[in-house]
Amino acid sequence: MNSDFREYFEVRDNEIDIQGIVNNTNYMVYLGHARHKYIRSVGIDFNDYAARGYNFVLLDCSMQFKHSLKPDDVFYVTCRLVPTSSAIRFAFEQEIRLKESDKLILTAHLTATCINTQPQPGEKKIFIPQDIQNILAKYGSDT
């Protein structure tokens, strides 16, 4: 994946399951935290959108696990916006990699949209915000 964005983490003891590896639910937490940091880094303020009644929501998530994270692993999560074929959906591509070796742990593709919770006459209920459209147009698949 071609992405300059990286958010670093370290596996914590409470994230390990009985098999001695990171429990699968924690990967969604890592991805979500990195996605929110990425969105802020490109100038989008979730709080501002929410205050105006616009909610970003995930519609679909696909993860392909390659390896497991283990206790004390230091790793990073990448993120980039990518277009979809839908006029009302956009997507994120993400990876988790070990910091030291760059070993690929997982890839993820997440589809999202924005819901207007209080649409006024003439406003769309489900849409891609202009800020997101601008990023997709500017960077395309190289975000």
Side-chain angles (χ1 to χ4, degrees):
M1 176 192 310
N2 182 13
S3 176
D4 292 331
F5 178 85
R6 292 181 178 187
E7 183 67 23
Y8 289 86
F9 298 84
E10 183 175 348
V11 174
R12 298 170 293 195
D13 293 341
N14 66 313
E15 297 166 338
I16 304 301
D17 66 17
I18 195 155
Q19 300 173 89
I21 58 176
V22 170
N23 182 279
N24 58 20
T25 59
N26 290 298
Y27 293 93
M28 282 297 287
V29 174
Y30 303 148
L31 294 171
H33 182 71
R35 209 170 38 256
H36 287 201
K37 297 281 275 218
Y38 167 75
I39 284 293
R40 282 196 297 267
S41 79
V42 295
I44 297 171
D45 185 340
F46 273 121
N47 294 330
D48 178 58
Y49 269 92
R52 294 184 290 146
Y54 303 128
N55 294 326
F56 290 98
V57 296
L58 288 180
L59 303 170
D60 182 71
C61 173
S62 172
M63 293 186 289
Q64 292 78 45
F65 292 87
K66 308 297 183 183
H67 298 280
S68 296
L69 289 170
K70 298 179 177 96
D72 301 320
D73 278 345
V74 177
F75 61 97
Y76 64 91
V77 181
T78 64
C79 188
R80 70 178 177 151
L81 274 165
V82 294
T84 70
S85 59
S86 170
I88 61 170
R89 295 178 181 178
F90 54 95
F92 297 94
E93 288 184 351
Q94 294 186 263
E95 290 181 344
I96 295 179
R97 291 182 173 269
L98 290 177
K99 179 182 177 186
E100 191 171 307
S101 66
D102 214 36
K103 181 179 185 177
L104 181 64
I105 301 300
L106 74 75
T107 60
H109 183 88
L110 302 99
T111 306
T113 194
C114 185
I115 297 176
N116 184 346
T117 62
Q118 302 167 5
Q120 302 300 310
E123 289 184 330
K124 294 180 180 176
K125 172 102 174 141
I126 301 172
F127 66 104
I128 299 175
Q130 190 62 50
D131 291 344
I132 300 283
Q133 291 180 41
N134 293 345
I135 293 166
L136 291 170
K138 181 176 179 182
Y139 300 109
S141 61
D142 290 332
T143 304

